[in-house]
Structure formats: C-alpha cells, structure tokens
Amino acid sequence: MSEIEVGKAVPNFHAPATGGETIELAELRGKNVVLFFYPKANTPGCSQEGQDFRDANEAFAALNTVVLGISRDGVKAQENFKAKYDFPFPLIADKDEAVCRLFDVIKQKNMYGRQVMGIERSTFLIAADGKLHKEWRKVKVKGHVEDVLAATQELAS
C-alpha cells in the first residue's frame, strides 16, 4: 500500500541520479515536480515517453516545474539512456526500489507468459508545497505528456 495520496505531503526521499547527483525531494520544495516512473531504459515505450517529456521540458520549466525520470536501472544505464536521447532532466537510478515502493509502482506483470514484478508506468505531479496534486497509473504513452502538462498548467493558474 502506498503512503502517497493526492492532497497529502509526499514523504522526502533521496536517490542517486545521472550527472553524479543525489536527488532529494525536500531540496525541490518551491518547485512543482513531475516524477515519471518507467519500466526499463532504452525500451520502445520508455524511450518514447522520455522523448515526449524532453520535447515538453521547456514548457514545464516555464511553469516552475522540474521533470525527473525514474526506473530500477543502474546509474550507468541511466547515463547511457539520457545521453542517447539528449534528455535535459535527471534520471534517477532506483536499484533498491525504495522510491518505487514508496510510490507503490512495483506490480506483478505478465511478460512473455511469465509473471514478473516490474514497474507499472506511472507519473506523479507534486505541487511546489510538497503535496501530491495528481497521479497517473497504468499510463499509456501516447498523449500522456500533454495530460501532465495540462495538469501542471492548472497548478499555475
């Protein structure tokens, strides 16, 4: 069960990220944060989702919003993924699944007829005050970034 709930403060977390950074949520207070969880770097759906967020990054930045991608891939895989697609935002390496479990995105999935535990594609919009404004679970990539941007614009108005 997730500790994360719309309208409630999101607990602080810290995790390693690309560029030698450690991302700490509390340090981003005062900015909106889009946290998008994806199953695996360099897979077709995840690559498309990342590119869609990349292409909208300036629009998010204009709305005082930081975009962060996150998966269970290691830092090296995340660095390669970020470089390949020229992502302008950090990618978090959550190898120990601590942040994934906090947001309750580890789910049982069918993969080639086998049951596996993996990340359910999900996005969370955290307002500048640290409270969860909106969440999207079981995300379909097409049109998703537009939905997240619209919700971020609502926060700004």
Side-chain angles (χ1 to χ4, degrees):
M1 185 72 185
S2 175
E3 297 176 37
I4 307 302
E5 197 176 315
V6 172
K8 300 256 171 92
V10 175
N12 189 36
F13 64 81
H14 54 85
T18 52
E21 286 187 79
T22 296
I23 300 292
E24 184 162 354
L25 185 62
E27 291 177 358
L28 298 173
R29 190 66 56 90
K31 293 185 180 289
N32 303 315
V33 177
V34 169
L35 185 59
F36 73 98
F37 289 84
Y38 55 92
K40 187 153 182 55
N42 282 308
T43 56
C46 300
S47 297
Q48 185 61 59
E49 183 179 26
Q51 290 172 79
D52 291 349
F53 274 110
R54 175 199 64 202
D55 295 347
N57 193 63
E58 284 185 25
F60 281 109
L63 295 167
N64 191 37
T65 302
V66 175
V67 174
L68 301 170
I70 182 168
S71 75
R72 300 184 301 176
D73 295 294
V75 172
K76 187 170 176 15
Q78 298 286 46
E79 290 284 7
N80 293 339
F81 188 39
K82 179 177 176 164
K84 181 177 182 177
Y85 292 104
D86 198 26
F87 296 146
F89 44 78
L91 299 178
I92 296 172
D94 191 29
K95 281 190 76 79
D96 66 1
E97 300 178 354
V99 182
C100 288
R101 294 198 184 283
L102 177 67
F103 284 83
D104 193 30
V105 298
I106 301 290
K107 303 291 181 184
Q108 191 166 323
K109 300 163 75 171
N110 261 331
M111 192 170 228
Y112 308 113
R114 289 184 350 181
Q115 297 289 314
V116 296
M117 296 302 283
I119 292 179
E120 176 181 80
R121 191 179 311 279
S122 305
T123 302
F124 300 85
L125 175 56
I126 303 165
D129 64 3
K131 293 180 182 171
L132 183 63
H133 178 70
K134 191 159 185 172
E135 65 181 16
W136 294 262
R137 294 186 181 267
K138 298 182 182 178
V139 166
K140 301 290 183 240
V141 173
K142 189 171 175 61
H144 175 61
V145 169
E146 291 82 358
D147 291 345
V148 177
L149 188 56
T152 307
Q153 289 166 332
E154 288 171 13
L155 270 177
S157 56

